[in-house]
Amino acid sequence: MTITRALIGAVPAVLLCSLPVLAQTSPAKGPSEDIKVHGHWVIEVHNGDGSLASRQEFENSLAAHGQELLAAILAKATVSNWYIYLVDTVGGQSPCVNDFGVNGCAINTPERGSGKDAYPNLQLTLPLDAATGTPTGTLQLSGYAVVSNPAAVSYFSLVGTGIDVLLPGKTPQTLFSTLFTSHAIARVAVTPNQIINVIVTFSFS
């Protein structure tokens, strides 16, 4: 299997969270419309006793390679895994550590695996209409990470959601993994063993 990963460090400034429809329309047929992807984030940092240390709530933006992921999924690429990523892009003092040192925290779907900086507890929820049993048009991701950086204070300043997809028509199969959405925020300070709870709700219009 060939693995293709877009560098997270190469994510540019956040983009407007809208995807223009690629098919062109003539003026006689009326104005073109946009397909918009909305991502609502709630991040709560809890102390060991369960008390709330901080809370952030904001809207995300489509990441640099988000359009590529959407195009691949519409072309029948297989979604392998989802993940949430939290990293400090300002001072390099991210909340998690691995065998190589300080690193960002990944909250993965269980199939993506675990590690010193990866927590395989990410859950995907597809809400269904109570009357019709059909999807309501939203998708929710939820999970948590535990601060493992032993420094007195560490931070995260960039958050994102990512998807692993297996590209169709490729032999051997090619895994494409990159951020779907991302958002730069003011640095959030955390301390060892605090729990970072994350809920992301996607909607479309």
Side-chain angles (χ1 to χ4, degrees):
M1 176 185 292
T2 302
I3 299 178
T4 303
R5 295 183 184 273
L7 294 177
I8 291 176
V11 175
V14 294
L15 305 177
L16 289 176
C17 186
S18 63
L19 290 178
V21 176
L22 297 182
Q24 294 183 352
T25 57
S26 64
K29 296 181 180 180
S32 62
E33 296 182 355
D34 290 341
I35 300 174
K36 296 183 179 180
V37 181
H38 310 274
H40 182 76
W41 287 68
V42 177
I43 302 178
E44 293 187 346
V45 178
H46 290 264
N47 299 312
D49 62 2
S51 59
L52 180 66
S54 67
R55 188 179 193 274
Q56 286 75 38
E57 188 169 352
F58 53 86
E59 304 296 318
N60 71 188
S61 301
L62 196 69
H65 297 277
Q67 296 184 27
E68 299 168 14
L69 280 170
L70 284 176
I73 292 169
L74 290 173
K76 298 185 179 181
T78 301
V79 175
S80 176
N81 296 292
W82 280 83
Y83 57 94
I84 291 173
Y85 196 67
L86 306 98
V87 64
D88 180 30
T89 58
V90 177
Q93 292 298 317
S94 295
C96 289
V97 296
N98 58 23
D99 292 335
F100 302 99
V102 175
N103 198 33
C105 301
I107 305 171
N108 300 331
T109 46
E111 298 79 9
R112 201 170 193 260
S114 61
K116 293 182 178 179
D117 56 355
Y119 297 85
N121 59 67
L122 184 64
Q123 296 184 5
L124 275 66
T125 304
L126 181 66
L128 300 178
D129 184 272
T132 64
T134 57
T136 61
T138 63
L139 173 66
Q140 185 178 90
L141 281 61
S142 60
Y144 68 88
V146 180
V147 178
S148 58
N149 187 337
V153 181
S154 56
Y155 305 87
F156 57 91
S157 60
L158 179 73
V159 300
T161 62
I163 309 175
D164 301 336
V165 299
L166 294 172
L167 298 179
K170 288 283 193 177
T171 305
Q173 285 187 309
T174 298
L175 178 67
F176 180 56
S177 176
T178 189
L179 289 183
F180 175 50
T181 64
S182 65
H183 192 71
I185 60 177
R187 290 177 94 192
V188 177
V190 292
T191 58
N193 299 315
Q194 283 186 323
I195 300 172
I196 307 171
N197 291 289
V198 183
I199 297 176
V200 185
T201 303
F202 290 114
S203 59
F204 309 88
S205 62

